[in-house]
Amino acid sequence: MNQATSIPTRFARLLAVGLVLTAVSAHAREEAVVKLDPEGETQLVHPDIYGHFAEHLGHCIYGGIWVGEDSDIPNTRGIRNDVVEALKELDIPVLRWPGGCFADEYHWRDGIGPREDRPSMINTHWGGVVENNHFGTHEFFDLVEMLGTKAYISGNVGSGTVQEMMEWVEYMTSPADSPLANERRANGRDEPWKLDYFGIGNESWGCGGSMRPEDYADLYRRYNTFVKNYGPRIFRIACGANSFDLNWTEVMMDRAARNMDGLSLHYYTLPTGSWRDKGPATGFGEDAYLATLSNTLKMDQLIADHDAVMDKYDPDQRVGLMVDEWGIWTNVEPGTNPGFLYQQNSLRDAILAALNFHIFHKHADRVRMANIAQMVNVLQAMILTDGPRMVKTPTYWIFEMFKVHQGEENLALGIECPEYGDGDLEIPVISASATRNPDTGIIHLSIVNTHPNEETRVLFDFGEQPSMAVGRVLTADAVDAHNTFENPHVVEPTEFTSVSFEESGMSVLMPPKSVVMLTLQ
Ligand code: AHR
C-alpha cells in the first residue's frame, strides 16, 4: 500500500493548506474498509437528535442549572452563568422539560407567579425531596432563550386534568387578550412563547400511570384534542414504548397514528443489563466495557423493529420516532442519594454516545429527535457541578465534536471491519458516519474504534478522494478515564493528524478506544 510520503504532490499540497500529517506506520495493517454507497439514500440528519433533557431530579435543575438570584454563584436571573456558557457551545437544538416521571405529577400553576408565594410539593419519584417550584414555566423559557434551543414540554396526563393541560398550553402560547394570556403578562411575559413540541404524558406504561396501551391510546386522543394551536402549530408527541415493547407501538399506531406527529421511545443502556445492579460508572473492567457497548448497540435493532411496526400504519414516515430518553444508566456514586441518579461519566460513555449518534444517523428517515438523559448532574450528564465548581464530562465533548453533523445529509456507508470481543460477545471494531453539508459540500466524518487495546487502520473509499482532512480525537489511557473537579482535563479532544492519502483512498489510523471527527474537503 502506498503511504502518504509516496505521493509527494498531494502531501505537499496538504502541507501548503496547513494540515500536518503523521505518516502512518508502514507496519500498520489495513483492518477496516469504509465505502460510500453511491446507490444509498441520503437523509437529512435532524438537528433535534442532538437534543437534551432536564428533569426536576436530583441536582439537574436545582444546583445544576438553577441557583436563584441571591446565590453567590454567578447567575443571570437565577440561572448559573458557567453552565449556560458551557452548554451554549453545544448548539443544543431542543430541550425537554420538566420530566420524565416528574412530568406526570407536575402542576404548572404551582410554578408561576412570585416565587415566595409558590407552593411546595414532594418529588415522590426522585428522593422524596421537597420541590419549591422556584424553577417553573417562566424560568424554563428563560433558559431556552439563553441557550437558543427549541422547547419541548411534557404535559401531565398521569395526575393532571385535561383542563389543566389545555390551560397551560393557552398560558404559554396564546397572543390573545384572554384571562390566561393576561395572567402570563402579569407574571412578566408579554409575548407568547414558541412551544415547539408537546409531549402528552411520559412513560404512561409505568411511572406515568401504569396504563395498558389501549387505555393510553384513548386518553392520548382525548388530551391531544384540547392541545390547541394558538400560534405556530405544536408538534404533538405521544408516549411510546419502553425499549422492546413492540406491542405498545403497534397499539398506538393502530389507534392514534392520525392524531400524533411523533411517538417516543425510551431505551437506557445498562452495563450489566440488570436494573438491580447496573454496574459502576468507573472502576469497571474490560468485560463490563464490552457488555456495555454491546448493550448500547441494541439501539440499532430496536429502532429498526419499531420502525417496521410504524411502517405498517405510516409507510410515508409522517410520524417521527422520538428517542426522547437514552443514555447509560449506572449505579449511583457511592454515598450519594440513590434517588438523585448521580453518576460519573467516562470515556466509555463518550464512545457509547458516539455509537448511538451513528445509529440515529442511519435511521434518519424515521428518527426525528433524541434527548440524552440528562443535561446536568443526572445519568449521562454533559456537566457535573459541586457547589460553585463545574466540570465537563467526556460525553460533553462528543456533543461538542458531533454538533457539525446537525442538519447535514447522512451518506450511506458500507463498513467491513473485524470484531472485538471475547468469543461469546463480539462487536464491530469500527463504526463510522459521514454527513455532507448541503450548502458547502464539506463532509464531516466521525469514526469510533471500540477496541480498548489495539489501533485500527481504516481505509475510506469515497470515490472522489478528499484533498484535505482536519480533525480532533477523543481518547485517554483507560476506558474508565474521566474528568473530576480536581482534574478536569483528563478526557478532552486533541488535534488528530493520523490521516494519509493513498491511491486507494484516505487512510486513518484510529487509536484504541477513540472517537475521531474529521472535516473533509
Ligand atoms: O431519566 C430518568 C427517568 O427515567 C425518567 O424520569 C423516566 O421517564 C425514565 O424512567
Side-chain angles (χ1 to χ4, degrees):
M1 176 182 292
N2 293 322
Q3 297 301 308
T5 46
S6 70
I7 44 173
T9 314
R10 183 180 293 279
F11 190 51
R13 183 151 53 95
L14 289 165
L15 285 176
V17 293
L19 175 69
V20 181
L21 292 179
T22 301
V24 176
S25 152
H27 304 295
R29 285 169 299 142
E30 181 188 309
E31 291 164 326
V33 177
V34 178
K35 287 190 175 160
L36 191 66
D37 176 1
E39 305 296 312
E41 283 183 47
T42 54
Q43 302 281 351
L44 208 65
V45 170
H46 203 295
D48 292 349
I49 68 161
Y50 288 87
H52 289 249
F53 171 36
E55 180 168 12
H56 290 235
L57 195 178
H59 292 299
C60 183
I61 298 289
Y62 297 106
I65 294 168
W66 177 261
V67 288
E69 287 163 326
D70 299 333
S71 172
D72 291 339
I73 298 173
N75 68 84
T76 302
R77 295 180 295 279
I79 296 174
R80 29 189 320 167
N81 294 344
D82 55 351
V83 169
V84 167
E85 195 187 322
L87 291 173
K88 277 172 86 165
E89 291 298 310
L90 303 184
D91 291 350
I92 294 176
V94 59
L95 178 59
R96 178 175 186 246
W97 173 84
C101 295
F102 182 78
D104 279 293
E105 58 182 33
Y106 182 62
H107 299 284
W108 69 273
R109 279 202 160 279
D110 296 347
I112 58 169
R115 286 191 201 103
E116 60 279 11
D117 296 341
R118 297 186 192 176
S120 294
M121 64 180 281
I122 301 215
N123 189 335
T124 65
H125 285 293
W126 306 120
V129 294
V130 174
E131 154 74 52
N132 64 14
N133 277 306
H134 281 194
F135 190 91
T137 304
H138 290 252
E139 291 78 12
F140 168 68
F141 277 105
D142 202 6
L143 174 64
V144 158
E145 289 179 352
M146 284 181 198
L147 295 176
T149 79
K150 284 178 265 185
Y152 173 11
I153 285 187
S154 292
N156 181 346
V157 171
S159 69
T161 64
V162 177
Q163 182 181 2
E164 183 183 357
M165 185 180 283
M166 180 176 171
E167 289 182 352
W168 195 13
V169 173
E170 184 183 336
Y171 180 89
M172 292 187 279
T173 62
S174 170
D177 182 13
S178 69
L180 278 160
N182 287 337
E183 191 177 356
R184 182 192 68 231
R185 292 186 183 103
N187 286 329
R189 175 72 184 198
D190 193 18
E191 292 300 310
W193 290 292
K194 183 156 190 297
L195 176 59
D196 300 277
Y197 297 99
F198 196 74
I200 297 173
N202 168 75
E203 296 196 352
S204 303
W205 37 262
C207 64
S210 304
M211 295 178 224
R212 300 179 312 131
E214 292 79 6
D215 297 329
Y216 172 70
D218 286 348
L219 215 50
Y220 171 81
R221 289 165 55 136
R222 186 154 78 92
Y223 275 67
N224 178 56
T225 306
F226 297 95
V227 174
K228 309 284 185 186
N229 296 311
Y230 298 94
R233 190 174 177 283
I234 299 167
F235 188 106
R236 292 111 197 285
I237 300 175
C239 163
N242 178 18
S243 309
F244 299 91
D245 183 359
L246 295 178
N247 180 53
W248 184 280
T249 299
E250 182 90 44
V251 174
M252 286 304 297
M253 291 301 291
D254 185 23
R255 299 186 179 209
R258 281 191 299 129
N259 311 78
M260 67 175 83
D261 301 305
L263 182 64
S264 72
L265 173 66
H266 290 182
Y267 176 62
Y268 283 101
T269 302
L270 309 180
T272 61
S274 160
W275 284 101
R276 194 166 292 176
D277 180 11
K278 298 174 272 294
T282 57
F284 51 82
E286 199 177 312
D287 287 359
Y289 169 76
L290 173 62
T292 305
L293 296 194
S294 171
N295 286 339
T296 220
L297 289 170
K298 291 178 185 162
M299 180 70 93
D300 189 14
Q301 190 60 47
L302 183 65
I303 292 174
D305 289 349
H306 285 283
D307 186 21
V309 175
M310 293 173 82
D311 273 347
K312 276 168 53 184
Y313 302 92
D314 179 35
D316 296 333
Q317 298 176 308
R318 185 190 65 78
V319 178
L321 187 61
M322 326 298 271
V323 189
D324 60 16
E325 288 186 29
W326 69 275
I328 185 168
W329 192 325
T330 69
N331 296 339
V332 298
E333 290 306 310
T336 64
N337 187 329
F340 283 9
L341 309 187
Y342 178 76
Q343 63 191 48
Q344 245 299 353
N345 190 285
S346 71
L347 176 64
R348 169 186 68 175
D349 307 350
I351 291 172
L352 177 154
L355 293 174
N356 277 280
F357 282 132
H358 289 177
I359 293 169
F360 299 148
H361 292 183
K362 181 178 156 193
H363 294 282
D365 53 348
R366 183 65 87 175
V367 178
R368 311 275 159 76
M369 186 197 286
N371 308 72
I372 183 108
Q374 296 194 7
M375 198 155 77
V376 187
N377 287 332
V378 169
L379 299 177
Q380 189 170 352
M382 309 303 109
I383 285 173
L384 302 176
T385 66
D386 175 27
R389 300 194 291 176
M390 184 201 93
V391 67
K392 296 171 179 172
T393 67
T395 298
Y396 173 96
W397 289 113
I398 291 299
F399 275 76
E400 194 270 344
M401 289 165 72
F402 276 47
K403 66 183 179 186
V404 289
H405 279 310
Q406 291 186 27
E408 297 198 325
E409 295 161 350
N410 183 54
L411 306 176
L413 300 180
I415 303 178
E416 285 172 26
C417 69
E419 306 258 294
Y420 152 64
D422 59 10
D424 293 332
L425 203 55
E426 306 229 298
I427 62 171
V429 162
I430 291 298
S431 168
S433 184
T435 61
R436 182 172 45 213
N437 185 296
D439 301 323
T440 62
I442 288 174
I443 291 178
H444 292 111
L445 172 64
S446 45
I447 316 159
V448 180
N449 180 9
T450 60
H451 203 297
N453 310 312
E454 290 181 14
E455 60 186 18
T456 304
R457 183 187 292 178
V458 191
L459 184 74
F460 289 88
D461 176 1
F462 278 3
E464 197 184 329
Q465 169 106 274
S467 61
M468 175 177 156
V470 288
R472 288 190 297 163
V473 60
L474 191 76
T475 188
D477 290 344
V479 283
D480 72 340
H482 53 279
N483 299 331
T484 63
F485 299 107
E486 292 72 31
N487 290 303
H489 306 296
V490 175
V491 190
E492 274 187 357
T494 54
E495 188 185 13
F496 182 72
T497 57
S498 297
V499 183
S500 61
F501 292 88
E502 305 168 4
E503 279 166 10
S504 49
M506 182 181 75
S507 177
V508 178
L509 188 62
M510 291 291 296
K513 47 183 167 327
S514 68
V515 181
V516 164
M517 171 62 81
L518 291 175
T519 300
L520 311 180
Q521 280 184 30

